[in-house]
Structures are given as structure tokens and as C-alpha cells.
Amino acid sequence: MSHLLDPKAGATYLLMGNEAIVRGALEAGVNVASGYPGTPSSEIIENLSRIAKERNIYVEWSVNEKVALEVAAAASFAGLRSLCAMKQNGVNVASDFLLHLVYSGTRGGIVLVSCDDPGALSSVNEGESRYFARQLEMPLLEPGNFQEAKDMTKWAFELSEQLKQIVMLRSVTRMSHASGNVSYGALPETKRKAEFKFKGFILDPEEGIITSAPVEWRHKEQQDKIRKAKEIFEESPFNTYEGPDKPELLIITSSACYLYSKEAVEVLNVQDRVGILKLGTTWPLPPKLVTHYLARTEQVMIVEEVIPFMEENVKVLAAEKAGEIGAKKFFGKNEGVLPSVGEMNPDFVISAISSILGIDYSPVSKEYDQSAKLSAFVHAPARDQVFCPGCPHRASFFAIRRAIELDGRNGFVCGDIGCYTMAVRPTGFETLKTVHSMGSGMGLASGFGKLGLFGMDQPTFAVCGDSTFYHAVIPALINAVHNKSNVTLVILDNGGTAMTGFQPHPGQDFNVMGESMPAIDMARICEAIGARVEKRNPLDLEDTLHTLLEMMEDKNGVKVLILSQYCALSPQRRGKKDYELSVDETVCLGEECGCGRFCTRIFRCPGLVWNKEKAKAEIDQVICVGCGVCADICPRGAIKRKEVA
Amino acid sequence: MTTSKLPKDPYSIVITGVGGQGNVMASRVLANMLVKKGYYVTIGETFGASQRGGSVMSHIRVSNLSAWSPQIPAGKAHLVVALEPIEAIRVLARYGNPDIKVLSNLRPIYPAGVIAGEASYPNEQEIRTILEKHTSKYWLIKATEEAVKLGNPILANVMMVGATCAIGDLPFDRNDFIDAMSQVLSGDKMETNIKAFELGFSLLMK
């Protein structure tokens, strides 16, 4: 049995933040869960899927975040409890539906979990989802530790039902992927029956139709809910204060930043000078509570990630109450004591408190610090992110890059979101020249492909992964074909949503529960749209290269090349070597060759190493996974591959 | 709850290595043993893009009092467990202090820049000199070599957990390890992991 299903109230486990959210949802009796994979949110749906059968929960990976939220909302409309999980930019994708959903209101408890990634540790943005709560006028909760991640999720369902409104729970990477002790509550019996009621009076929230119109009526109802949320938040146990009665400095904080603030106060030993107001209900702010603490201090610092959301909201409140509590001196991101880009950490908070209170702090002597930093600078060279040994993307980009060079017309590739995004780096031969959001590579290529009118003759490619194709590329491909844009789309099909952990997508014949499902064939979709479609194995470099060159010559609209090969870490390939690789030292000429160590300098598979003493290449047998591609790139043919029987 | 004392509270450990070395698993095993003993444990880690050949770090905070930040403040680590030697050096630059202890695997994993000939990798003597200068105590062990002998290089991570046990700062033993592992493993795999733990323990005792 999964530790997440332990029925014993009071049992304590070490849970990842995302697991704590799952346990909270289970304790709330969640019925339906949906999402689209994205770091740092993926473990929520994954963990729920593993225990779905035991708890009679319907779990799905949806095609994208907008559809995921619609699936979860349908459950709410039918009176069930549902959860929808996504990473920060997923909320952008879902936001059009969300705008309308907050007007129409909801029935069964529904919680939107957004896992933001301050510092972009696994993203190409550090976008804020919290602003949606203010912009779309819905309640926002942010857990400040692992226990709260569980307790708050459970409560979010109750709050949603009380308000008849979706509730957003925002986590961050350092909460979702960090772990801590969580004490369990009881698991309820889930007995809800789904029924969508619509025959009542048109405006009846329980039995009428569910729409965002009449807009002003619904909008007013929505704002009444926010007013009610404020009252509820005034009494919430998730808002806590620790510190002296009249602190010299009041820190207002939330989420992981609470833990950093607590640490900083401890390190500086200023518990009797600095107070911490930790807010769990961050939109709408509970005005009485916040005013109560503002009144007791002259100086306020807001600690949060990433941009000054809470800072702005607190300042508005402080301005409204200035007559009662007087003017305050504010510190934070706007006035510059804390950074407004990147992720927060205890050290930023330590240095901010030190500068405000005039404390001289350094954790180690200057000599030690400089010496340790110099040693690392000289002897610990940075690790650039690289494709794994045997990754099909390395082979695909090697072929694409080569085709563009041979063609000679300064062609380029528009990138997309997945492991293959790393092809902006040397590991992918710096092949990608644009990277934005899911599906944007094909959309941009569609646009570039029409610029012949203005004299542009550079061949244009887009690349996307298989899961990305279903998520957002199809409309862009339709656009390109319909508008006769002259471009080539290369689909890097590695058999799953590989980057986030092999979640299944609609191209596969099974779902997250392991049940058999109809696969939506991407080649047939592309053909039906009207593109010319070819399929190749990227590990066959020659064949792939020829196909690419030939497609660049074909000026008849949109071409699609599907490069299919399983991810090197996938269950299908992991631990299975197709070839034994070796370097024939009698053939490798080393520095004398003139290739300039092509295998280790350019191709750069981690399985290839340069033996300085011998001045020859060699294979690191611990790292090599035996894909065999390097045997094709050595100009001397010194790398030998032997098929593994 | 536990009564045994920690050398410091919170006691802060960095487990570091390169994506794919089993860093996350080592930190979870260690943390699970300590949670079972009644401590508050916080693990801070990131996974996702950082797995792909990048440096990975887990911060483990152990306390009798409360949950702590998933990021250790600069200069405040007590123990570094490194699955790769230059990752120990990298950690010292930010989290090191004269009292810190370092336990490191000796097996290098060369960064792409080193493979490409753009950067150089320190030799064993250089590594020893740096650790000597910036730690109160350090141990370098050949965990990967021993793990390959056991049949799988990944077992180096469990060996490092065994060696951490031998350092003696943290209150856990072989039985706690078996107890924690038996929830996730069984049979042959369990045997191999116990062997790896014991081997790691004995490597440090030599």
C-alpha cells in the first residue's frame, strides 16, 4: 500500500510537498483529478494515478492545461470534488476558461494547484501565477510548510464549496519538490454521486445553467464571494505571527519565503527585534489582521517570490489605513533591499535584515570565503546541461544542423518546450534560434515561412516533442498549411512526455492508469491537415540527413518529418545496449588527425572521453548506453560498434 | 519522540553529485531513517532539467525542534556527502566553513567542457589539498569502483549512506537502514543494497 493511503490519523511521514498536496486532496475526498505534466507539478497527478483505483478517483493527463481545467470543472458542475494541477505557465494556457469559470462559479469543491518555478530551475520563464488570483478575483492560498501543504489543500476544497468558487493553491519548486514531516488526518469515505442539474431557475447557483452571463450579475456575485473570503481569511489558522509585541521590523511573507525568513531571523539572533507575519491566505488579504500587525511597527519588509505581488497589495491596504495606523517605511523589491528576479533564499533575507537593522554579519572569515570560492572557480568547472548518453535528440540535432550547413542558405530552427530546448546549448550544437512557449516554435515558423514576400529565403524549421505536438502544435500546423507557409516541422517523437517522467500522451495506446486507450496517430493527423509526412529513426544519421536535405528542396508547402526513437532513459531502452562501442587506438590519430577531437569537442556525448595520456578518444563504459551513433561521426571510422546479441 | 542529541540543531547536510547518480534516492533514504526516529527533517532539492548532466544538490536539515528552510544559509553546512569529487569543492565555495566535514566519492564525472577540452579537471592530489585546506575532516572513498564490483555503479549512493553512518554524527545504524529500505525493496535487491551499505561503512573504518 502506498504510504499516501495510510488510514491512520496522526501517522507521520516524510512527504514531498506535492505528495502532501495529494494527501490533502485524499483527506478531502477528491473524486476527479486532471492536469498536464510540467515541473514542478507533475508528481501530484502521478501520485494520484497510482492510488486512483483504491480510492475510486478518476485521474487523467489531459491534452493541455485548458482542457484539464475544463475536465476538472465538469466534475465540480456535477457536484464532485476535483483538483487540477499544472505548472505556472499552464495557468496562462488555462486562463481563458478560468476567466469565465470565476464568473459562472462552481458547485463541488474545485482546487487549481499551480506550482510556480521561481528562479526557472526547470522552466524557460519564472512567471507568476498569483496575479491571476487578483486579476480574475478568486481566492489564493499559499502553504508555508509541508504540513500546511496537506492541511491547506484539504481546506481549499471546503472553502471552494462554501464560496461556490474555484480556489487557487499556489506552490513553488522549493515547496513542491522539497520534503518534510507531515502528520496525517483521517481518510473519509467517498460517496458522492455525479449529477449535473440545470432545470432550476436560470440564476440558481445549484440547479440553474452554468454560464458567465449575465455578466454584470455574475461579476457582482463573484465580488461578493471575494468579500466573503476576506471575512473567512481574518480567522484563518494559516495566518500566523511570531515575534515581539512591537517589532522594530515586521516581515510579511508567505510560502517557502516564510522558512527563509524564519531561518534568517534565527541566524542573526534577532527574534526579539523582528516579527514574522506569515500569510497563508494571500488574496484577498485579510485587512483587519494585516492592519493589526502593521499598526505595531514602523518598518515593514515583504519577502516573497518573484515580483512584488504581496508588497503591492499590502501597500494599498497601508495607504487605505494610513489615517488609523500612520505612514510606514516599506522595504522589499520595489525599494531594492531584495531582488525582484530569481528565487529567494535565506541569505538574501539575512542581508536585507542586516542592512535595515545595521547588523554586521558574515558567516565565515573573508580568507576562508575567498579561498574556497577560488578553489571552486579554478578546479570545479561548471556543468553545462547536456543530453543524456544515447539521447535521440543529440542525433536528431546533429543531422538537422548538418543539413542546414550543407544547404548553405543560413537556415534556422524555431524551438519548443522539452528536453530538446537544450539544443540552444552546445549539447544540441546550438541549433535552436528561438524558444518560447508550448507550440510557439511552429507558430513562429508559420510566420517566418510567409516572409518570402519581403525577400527572406532562409529555410525555416520548427521542432517539437510528441507531447507538445498534441498540446499546442496542431493549431499552428493547421495555420501553416492553410496559409501555404513554406516550412518543415520535425517532430522529435521519443515515446512519451520524457522530460517530466514519461507521462503518457494522446499518441499512446494507454493512459496514466495503465488502461488501454485509442492512440491518436500523429502522422495521420499531419496528413489529414495536408502536410507531406515522412518517418525516420534519428539514430540512423545518414538516412535522416538525406531526408532533411530533400525536404528542404521541396518547396510545396509544409513538410513534417517524424523522428521516432525512445528516450534513452525510457523503460523501453534503459539498461539495454544495442551496441558495444570501442575506440580502435590503431585508427584514432588523436591530435594528429586534423579532426580537432571531433567526437569529444563537437559531438560531446558524455560517454566519450578524451584520454590525455594516450591523446586518444575512448569510451566510458560506465556511462555509454550503446546507441552506436558516435561510430558514424568519427571521420576516421575509429569508433567501432559491435551489435549486442 | 527522540531523546538523542544532534551535534548541532539544525544539523545541515548537503548531498551532492551529478544528475543520474542517485542523489535524490540517497537523500530520501537518509531522511526517512531520521523521520522514523522522530526528528523533523526537511529536504530541499530540485529535479527536472537539472538531472540532465548538471550538478544536483540535496539540502537535508535535521532538527529536534521544527521544520527548517529547504535551502541552507551560506557557510552553515555541517557535512557534505559528494558522489562526485568536484561537486564537493563546488559546495564548499558557498556552504563551507572551517568546521565542515566532507565525505566524497573519488570517481570523476567529467563536465562537458572538460570532455571538450575547454576546461581542466583537478587530479586526486589537487582535490586532497583543497579538502585539507577547507574542512575539519575529509574522507575520499572509491565508491563507484566498489559498486561496479557489486554489479551496478549506481550502488555508490547507498555506499555513501553507509559511509555517512560510519562518520557517527547522525543517529542511525544498519538496522535503521534495513528498516527504511525494506519499504521500497525486497529480495535480491535488498541483499545487494545491504552489502553496499556495509561496504560503504567499512571503507570509512579502514
Side-chain angles (χ1 to χ4, degrees):
Chain A
M1 183 188 72
S2 163
H3 60 290
L4 292 171
L5 285 179
D6 190 335
K8 206 164 68 219
T12 298
Y13 285 92
L14 177 78
L15 296 192
M16 201 198 292
N18 281 345
E19 292 176 317
I21 291 169
V22 167
R23 176 69 191 194
L26 294 174
E27 289 180 12
V30 68
N31 307 106
V32 169
S34 59
Y36 182 81
T39 313
S41 71
S42 311
E43 296 80 8
I44 298 171
I45 296 299
E46 277 189 348
N47 277 296
L48 277 166
S49 73
R50 287 187 202 121
I51 51 188
K53 288 208 171 107
E54 280 124 304
R55 296 295 300 169
N56 193 33
I57 305 170
Y58 173 70
V59 183
E60 77 168 38
W61 283 123
S62 308
V63 69
N64 63 36
E65 293 87 349
K66 179 170 177 283
V67 176
L69 187 59
E70 287 154 352
V71 166
S76 165
F77 294 172
L80 301 179
R81 286 190 164 182
S82 62
L83 176 143
C84 188
M86 56 192 64
K87 71 182 292 178
Q88 74 275 7
N89 38 312
V91 184
N92 301 0
V93 176
S95 64
D96 196 14
F97 175 65
L98 188 56
L99 165 66
H100 296 85
L101 182 65
V102 289
Y103 278 63
S104 78
T106 55
R107 287 180 188 170
I110 174 168
V111 179
L112 168 60
V113 180
S114 170
C115 301
D116 288 12
D117 190 19
L121 301 164
S122 297
S123 305
V124 294
N125 67 76
E126 52 175 356
E128 277 268 7
S129 64
R130 294 182 301 170
Y131 281 83
F132 279 108
R134 193 169 77 191
Q135 183 190 336
L136 304 184
E137 301 168 283
M138 63 179 171
L140 171 67
L141 307 178
E142 295 183 75
N145 62 40
F146 311 97
Q147 184 68 43
E148 279 194 2
K150 194 273 286 176
D151 295 343
M152 207 180 249
T153 305
K154 176 172 185 277
W155 181 60
F157 284 93
E158 293 157 21
L159 180 68
S160 169
E161 272 173 21
Q162 198 177 349
L163 297 173
K164 302 194 192 309
Q165 182 63 294
I166 186 166
V167 170
M168 182 165 174
L169 184 117
R170 185 244 197 181
S171 177
V172 293
T173 304
R174 297 285 180 183
M175 188 63 65
S176 280
H177 279 179
S179 304
N181 304 50
V182 176
S183 175
Y184 284 7
L187 284 184
E189 286 300 312
T190 55
K191 285 196 201 97
R192 292 199 186 203
K193 187 174 177 301
E195 185 188 357
F196 180 36
K197 296 176 183 162
F198 49 79
K199 288 185 175 164
F201 171 58
I202 191 167
L203 293 175
D204 185 320
E206 291 297 345
E207 303 200 348
I209 61 167
I210 306 185
T211 75
S212 61
V215 171
E216 274 187 47
W217 171 276
R218 299 284 189 194
H219 198 177
K220 183 182 169 302
E221 274 194 328
Q222 184 192 353
Q223 292 187 346
D224 287 343
K225 292 172 185 176
I226 279 289
R227 273 185 282 275
K228 195 166 165 196
K230 268 187 199 175
E231 282 164 28
I232 296 168
F233 290 175
E234 295 284 7
E235 307 297 328
S236 168
F238 297 116
N239 302 323
T240 58
Y241 177 79
E242 58 208 85
D245 254 8
K246 295 197 164 162
E248 262 177 78
L249 175 69
L250 173 70
I251 292 177
I252 304 182
T253 187
S254 64
S255 192
C257 291
Y258 161 63
L259 294 170
Y260 306 151
S261 301
K262 188 177 140 187
E263 186 100 31
V265 166
E266 193 83 14
V267 164
L268 293 171
N269 202 19
V270 288
Q271 296 89 333
D272 54 347
R273 299 174 69 187
V274 179
I276 302 176
L277 176 60
K278 192 270 299 176
L279 296 177
T281 65
T282 47
W283 183 260
L285 287 177
K288 284 184 204 139
L289 178 91
V290 175
T291 310
H292 172 81
Y293 288 103
L294 285 176
R296 297 168 167 220
T297 188
E298 300 305 314
Q299 306 190 95
V300 184
M301 175 165 74
I302 287 103
V303 184
E304 63 186 317
E305 299 171 309
V306 177
I307 44 180
F309 171 73
M310 205 160 50
E311 187 173 332
E312 291 166 5
N313 301 335
V314 170
K315 281 175 176 172
V316 169
L317 185 63
E320 286 171 2
K321 304 285 177 186
E324 287 166 46
I325 61 171
K328 304 295 166 189
K329 171 115 183 88
F330 278 96
F331 299 93
K333 292 166 188 281
N334 277 353
E335 78 36 271
V337 75
L338 290 167
S340 58
V341 298
E343 72 166 339
M344 194 52 62
N345 62 41
D347 301 311
F348 284 126
V349 189
I350 289 170
S351 104
I353 298 174
S354 302
S355 78
I356 295 165
L357 297 184
I359 297 168
D360 190 22
Y361 172 81
S362 48
V364 290
S365 73
K366 206 173 228 173
E367 293 73 41
Y368 180 96
D369 187 52
Q370 284 177 350
S371 165
K373 285 196 165 69
L374 182 67
S375 295
F377 178 74
V378 176
H379 292 295
R383 290 188 191 275
D384 199 8
Q385 286 177 354
V386 292
F387 291 133
C388 301
C391 174
H393 296 330
R394 181 179 288 103
S396 296
F397 285 112
F398 191 82
I400 295 170
R401 179 64 196 257
R402 192 92 188 97
I404 288 172
E405 278 169 4
L406 289 171
D407 172 82
R409 286 177 293 165
N410 203 22
F412 62 93
V413 184
C414 299
D416 222 294
I417 304 302
C419 282
Y420 53 91
T421 305
M422 290 194 293
V424 291
R425 313 283 308 155
T427 193
F429 319 106
E430 297 171 339
T431 307
L432 299 184
K433 302 306 179 193
T434 72
V435 172
H436 297 82
S437 60
M438 296 279 287
S440 295
M442 187 62 213
L444 285 167
S446 175
F448 278 122
K450 293 306 293 180
L451 301 184
L453 182 61
F454 305 99
M456 187 163 154
D457 66 348
Q458 295 164 271
T460 306
F461 288 89
V463 294
C464 73
D466 39 341
S467 190
T468 308
F469 174 79
Y470 297 98
H471 178 287
V473 172
I474 295 170
L477 181 63
I478 290 172
N479 193 71
V481 171
H482 179 68
N483 292 298
K484 291 190 176 175
S485 186
N486 181 26
V487 294
T488 304
L489 169 66
V490 181
I491 303 177
L492 305 166
D493 169 22
N494 59 4
T497 317
M499 185 169 209
T500 47
F502 308 105
Q503 293 82 4
H505 59 60
Q508 291 169 303
D509 58 6
F510 56 93
N511 67 3
V512 68
M513 315 276 291
E515 296 156 337
S516 173
M517 290 287 147
I520 315 297
D521 188 310
M522 67 171 76
R524 283 174 56 203
I525 290 177
C526 296
E527 279 162 5
I529 290 171
R532 177 192 153 195
V533 180
E534 302 285 346
K535 274 179 109 165
R536 296 289 184 273
N537 175 3
L539 299 188
D540 188 339
L541 277 184
E542 272 304 304
D543 190 22
T544 304
L545 179 60
H546 282 298
T547 310
L548 282 162
L549 284 169
E550 189 268 319
M551 286 182 130
M552 286 167 92
E553 289 303 312
D554 178 353
K555 298 201 169 51
N556 296 316
V558 178
K559 287 78 61 182
V560 175
L561 174 61
I562 302 174
L563 294 178
S564 292
Q565 179 56 251
Y566 283 110
C567 168
L569 300 179
S570 65
Q572 289 86 351
R573 272 183 73 200
R574 196 160 201 166
K576 291 168 205 136
K577 278 191 177 186
D578 286 339
Y579 300 99
E580 285 297 339
L581 277 297
S582 61
V583 175
D584 186 339
E585 289 180 15
T586 61
V587 182
C588 175
L589 298 180
E591 299 286 9
E592 314 300 315
C593 176
C595 74
R597 295 179 285 104
F598 189 80
C599 56
T600 53
R601 186 175 55 91
I602 303 294
F603 193 64
R604 284 191 185 214
C605 176
L608 291 161
V609 287
W610 186 252
N611 185 322
K612 261 191 194 161
E613 280 94 64
K614 291 184 186 166
K616 294 192 190 260
E618 64 185 28
I619 307 291
D620 186 330
Q621 297 296 352
V622 170
I623 291 172
C624 175
V625 300
C627 75
V629 173
C630 57
D632 287 328
I633 58 104
C634 174
R636 289 276 304 169
I639 304 176
K640 304 291 181 194
R641 70 176 163 226
K642 202 176 101 203
E643 232 168 291
V644 174
Chain B
M1 288 304 256
T2 178
T3 49
S4 64
K5 279 257 188 185
L6 296 162
K8 300 275 179 195
D9 197 327
Y11 187 85
S12 302
I13 310 151
V14 180
I15 299 190
T16 185
V18 178
Q21 283 195 296
N23 209 73
V24 170
M25 190 268 194
S27 64
R28 287 197 84 81
V29 170
L30 194 59
N32 269 319
M33 288 189 281
L34 295 164
V35 167
K36 283 201 164 183
K37 300 223 138 204
Y39 293 97
Y40 288 96
V41 182
T42 306
I43 315 178
E45 56 202 4
T46 61
F47 28 91
S50 55
Q51 277 185 339
R52 318 294 186 227
S55 306
V56 284
M57 242 197 313
S58 302
H59 289 194
I60 305 181
R61 321 293 307 277
V62 191
S63 174
N64 268 310
L65 310 167
S66 72
W68 290 90
S69 149
Q71 296 190 72
I72 299 170
K76 294 287 185 188
H78 302 107
L79 172 66
V80 179
V81 178
L83 290 156
E84 204 282 349
I86 67 165
E87 293 312 312
I89 295 171
R90 203 186 311 281
V91 167
L92 287 175
R94 174 140 183 201
Y95 302 99
N97 56 74
D99 297 324
I100 202 167
K101 296 173 186 173
V102 170
L103 163 68
S104 178
N105 184 9
L106 254 172
R107 163 88 190 198
I109 294 181
Y110 299 114
V114 172
I115 293 174
E118 293 154 1
S120 67
Y121 193 96
N123 62 35
E124 186 178 329
Q125 194 44 53
E126 286 169 317
I127 292 167
R128 285 187 186 277
T129 306
I130 294 165
L131 296 183
E132 181 69 42
K133 191 171 175 193
H134 299 103
T135 67
S136 65
K137 207 164 181 190
Y138 75 93
W139 302 264
L140 285 168
I141 62 175
K142 293 188 170 173
T144 302
E145 272 77 351
E146 295 295 329
V148 169
K149 284 184 207 162
L150 278 183
N152 192 345
I154 194 81
L155 289 167
N157 65 351
V158 170
M159 232 170 265
M160 299 304 281
V161 175
T164 303
C165 177
I167 292 174
D169 275 6
L170 289 164
F172 70 92
D173 59 23
R174 182 179 173 276
N175 290 337
D176 298 318
F177 174 77
I178 294 172
D179 192 30
M181 292 299 277
S182 60
Q183 293 190 338
V184 282
L185 291 180
S186 58
D188 283 1
K189 279 196 172 164
M190 190 68 207
E191 289 293 303
T192 321
N193 275 274
I194 296 171
K195 250 187 226 164
F197 180 93
E198 288 169 346
L199 203 55
F201 189 94
S202 65
L203 282 175
L204 213 75
M205 285 301 172
K206 273 178 195 164

